[in-house]
Amino acid sequence: MSVGFRRATPSDFPEVRRITRDAYLRAGHFAADHPYMGVLEDVEHRAAHAEVWVAEAARKVVAAVTLTFAGQPYSEIAVDGELEFRMLAVDPAVQGGGVGRAVVRRVIEHARSLPNIGAISITSATFMERSHALYESLGFRRAPERDWYVPGEDVLLWVFRLEL
């Protein structure tokens, strides 16, 4: 599947919201009433404080991801010289067809084009095994010294990092 990659525009936000919600719910990562679902669904806030990108196939948005840098509001783990990506979501209708892999590859290409960026970091919950396999297959390595717990919850988050 040929996948284009571009910055999201406001007209994309409803589809980004739907894809993100559907992907996280279908995977069973969160219940619909979990507080984090509100964060995931607030695409307008994300776009105002980070970079929201979309993947398109056949002129249809099929995935979304948020890019951020050290010190920015949506950055959880990035240090100077790193691009951090978050909230990667692929429309459940096309999951399993390589879209997630294509998006991560495009994120890597984009990061390599940025001045002063030498690595990419990502946080992933321990239960997101499919994501871990994808990241590792593309060269990301665990950085256990940077793992962290969600504040106020007993949820361990793993950090993966790719040197560019």
Side-chain angles (χ1 to χ4, degrees):
M1 175 182 301
S2 176
V3 177
F5 192 61
R6 64 173 173 78
R7 285 285 291 267
T9 64
S11 66
D12 296 316
F13 295 172
E15 194 65 358
V16 170
R17 183 176 1 271
R18 182 197 64 77
I19 288 169
T20 305
R21 180 186 61 247
D22 291 356
Y24 276 75
L25 290 175
R26 179 173 181 205
H29 296 324
F30 301 101
D33 62 349
H34 190 283
Y36 190 59
M37 290 303 295
V39 174
L40 292 170
E41 292 178 350
D42 193 349
V43 181
E44 292 77 8
H45 190 269
R46 267 195 277 161
H49 298 282
E51 297 180 9
V52 177
W53 289 69
V54 295
E56 288 182 312
R59 298 184 200 186
K60 181 179 177 189
V61 173
V62 294
V65 66
T66 298
L67 307 181
T68 187
F69 302 89
Q72 293 184 342
Y74 273 78
S75 178
E76 294 177 322
I77 58 164
V79 297
D80 287 340
E82 284 183 348
L83 168 71
E84 177 179 351
F85 75 90
R86 299 188 53 202
M87 304 173 182
L88 172 61
V90 176
D91 190 332
V94 299
Q95 285 181 5
V99 172
R101 177 174 301 279
V103 170
V104 176
R105 283 186 172 147
R106 297 301 294 268
V107 169
I108 293 168
E109 290 172 18
H110 178 66
R112 287 187 170 133
S113 75
L114 298 173
N116 304 315
I117 296 297
I120 301 171
S121 59
I122 177 72
T123 294
S124 185
T126 57
F127 52 81
M128 296 180 173
E129 294 93 356
R130 284 183 61 199
S131 299
H132 305 163
L134 170 63
Y135 304 146
E136 289 174 342
S137 75
L138 291 171
F140 285 79
R141 297 292 168 249
R142 287 264 296 110
E145 69 282 1
R146 293 174 65 183
D147 292 351
W148 56 287
Y149 283 89
V150 174
E153 297 187 36
D154 190 27
V155 177
L156 177 63
L157 298 175
W158 284 354
V159 175
F160 291 81
R161 187 169 191 271
L162 174 68
E163 290 280 337
L164 299 176

